[in-house]
Amino acid sequence: MTVRLASSIIELVLGMSLGPSSEAAVRNRCSLEGVTWEPGQDGDVKVGIRNFEATALRISCGALVLEIGRMVVRGGAGQVRAEAGGLHLSSVEAIEAELSGVKLSGPLVMPVEVQKVRDALPVAGGVAFSAGRAAPHAVPDVPSLGPLAQADGTIRGQITDAHLLFDAEVTVPIRQGQIDFNDATVEHVGPDSRMGVSRMGIYVDAPNGRSYVYQFPSAPLGGVEFERRGALLGPWVSERGKLRLQEFAEAMLRQSGGASQGLTEQARLLLGRTALSGEVQLGDAPFAVPGLQAHMEGRRDGRNALVLRSEALGEGLTVEMPSMSARDAMATWASFQLGCSAITARLKLQLTVDGSRLRFALEIENCKVAAPRLQRRELA
């Protein structure tokens, strides 16, 4: 099939215009094999595609840009409806799909389309996918971060020329989804400092006094065990406190204003001088945030491990997942739901600071999708 016709079909499916992924790239190269076209009832058309391949795709939606180096879809079947004098996609599913060279970038804000959908629905709804078939599935209207409950790993920070901490090396162990500040260490010249969590926030007790790196907008928060002092309200801290990551992160996401609201000016200065590294192994469990849900699996084989690094947290952060594995995944975007029964991939997320705004770039390689399905949502 000609490139022009293939591109026209993609534009029909996506409901937007395609563009070249770079000046040197060949524009939207597409090929279709084994196409069938069968008229149905009420003007519907059933479309079958044995094999679809596309390269150098570029899709823009507002400030978001999606680039796809190569995409192959096998065993595709879809349904197109005639509505309002035009053809509109109703649903499409396939046996499998493979993608490489995928990059999604833009400002780190919720897309307007997703926000409109979320605001229009009393409860965030979704579809659970299994073997390519959609079935009703209730999704909570609050974040659910189950993989953090069994997280294990270590986060390390190197603070250079910090005003209050001197040059310092910070080590924060994560065990079974929990940070115990009694085990966290802050090493530097002279007596070491200690980290902890009080009702005011997360602090560092340095030789010259206590300073808060993050202050809670309100207390208490979910998932926090606050510090405890000795008998008779003595000055000595007997327990530095704990954070249960799943409950704490879910509580933070539910708060308005975002995580940056509680950063002190002192903490902002420290972030600009702090290098970060670490590895965190996530657990096997479902998670859900507005517009996205999946069930992570593969911990026994070392899948879904996060690798974090940053030369300076004040400038940005890179998070890699060398082997992501999930099932029953579903994403809601504009008027569509995209789901699959299983997905594996290599992920890399880069967060960068652009003035007062955050930008992100998500790169996906070696992505394999089982039983993908795209379905139009009926919005109220």
Side-chain angles (χ1 to χ4, degrees), residues 95-375:
I95 297 174
E96 61 181 4
E98 296 182 8
L99 299 96
S100 61
V102 179
K103 183 176 181 180
L104 176 65
S105 59
L108 191 61
V109 294
M110 182 177 291
V112 175
E113 293 83 357
V114 176
Q115 185 66 57
K116 288 180 179 178
V117 172
R118 183 185 179 192
D119 293 342
L121 300 175
V123 177
V127 175
F129 290 85
S130 178
R133 294 186 177 182
H137 180 66
V139 180
D141 57 351
V142 295
S144 177
L145 306 177
L148 289 178
Q150 297 297 320
D152 287 295
T154 303
I155 305 298
R156 294 172 292 274
Q158 178 71 45
I159 305 175
T160 304
D161 192 28
H163 177 64
L164 294 178
L165 301 178
F166 314 102
D167 289 358
E169 294 185 1
V170 181
T171 303
V172 181
I174 301 173
R175 301 290 180 265
Q176 292 296 298
Q178 179 174 270
I179 294 176
D180 186 340
F181 285 105
N182 292 303
D183 299 329
T185 61
V186 183
E187 301 176 352
H188 49 72
V189 176
D192 290 342
S193 302
R194 299 299 304 273
M195 295 186 69
V197 56
S198 73
R199 291 185 176 273
M200 290 184 61
I202 300 173
Y203 65 80
V204 174
D205 277 343
N208 55 350
R210 173 171 292 189
S211 59
Y212 282 88
V213 296
Y214 185 84
Q215 291 183 339
F216 298 144
S218 61
L221 291 175
V224 183
E225 294 183 25
F226 299 109
E227 67 174 7
R228 295 199 301 269
R229 295 184 177 271
L232 301 178
L233 300 178
W236 301 107
V237 176
S238 60
E239 293 288 336
R240 291 283 172 178
K242 300 180 178 65
L243 289 182
R244 294 186 297 277
L245 290 181
Q246 179 185 359
E247 297 175 53
F248 179 71
E250 291 172 355
M252 293 294 291
L253 288 176
R254 287 193 297 267
Q255 286 186 337
S256 61
S260 62
Q261 186 181 34
L263 288 177
T264 64
E265 184 60 30
Q266 182 183 78
R268 296 179 192 275
L269 293 175
L270 287 177
L271 290 179
R273 296 189 290 261
T274 300
L276 183 75
S277 63
E279 304 84 26
V280 179
Q281 173 66 63
L282 300 179
D284 294 342
F287 80 91
V289 294
L292 180 65
Q293 68 175 23
H295 192 294
M296 311 298 288
E297 62 180 6
R299 177 187 175 98
R300 180 180 299 177
D301 299 324
R303 296 181 180 272
N304 300 322
L306 299 174
V307 180
L308 302 92
R309 68 176 185 275
S310 172
E311 297 298 325
L313 277 173
E315 299 176 2
L317 173 68
T318 298
V319 182
E320 293 189 63
M321 186 177 285
S323 181
M324 184 275 289
S325 178
R327 60 177 172 85
D328 301 330
M330 189 275 289
T332 300
W333 177 54
S335 60
F336 290 100
Q337 287 178 336
L338 175 62
C340 65
S341 63
I343 180 171
T344 60
R346 178 185 179 92
L347 305 180
K348 179 180 179 181
L349 174 65
Q350 290 182 297
L351 302 176
T352 55
V353 178
D354 181 12
S356 60
R357 298 188 305 171
L358 279 176
R359 296 187 62 83
F360 79 96
L362 175 63
E363 300 179 18
I364 305 175
E365 292 289 348
N366 305 327
C367 181
K368 296 184 178 181
V369 185
R373 179 181 177 90
L374 180 68
Q375 185 171 16

Side-chain angles (χ1 to χ4, degrees), residues 25-45:
V26 178
R27 176 185 171 89
N28 305 319
R29 290 177 292 173
C30 305
S31 66
L32 298 171
E33 297 178 4
V35 179
T36 61
W37 189 276
E38 180 183 350
Q41 297 179 350
D42 301 325
D44 291 357
V45 176

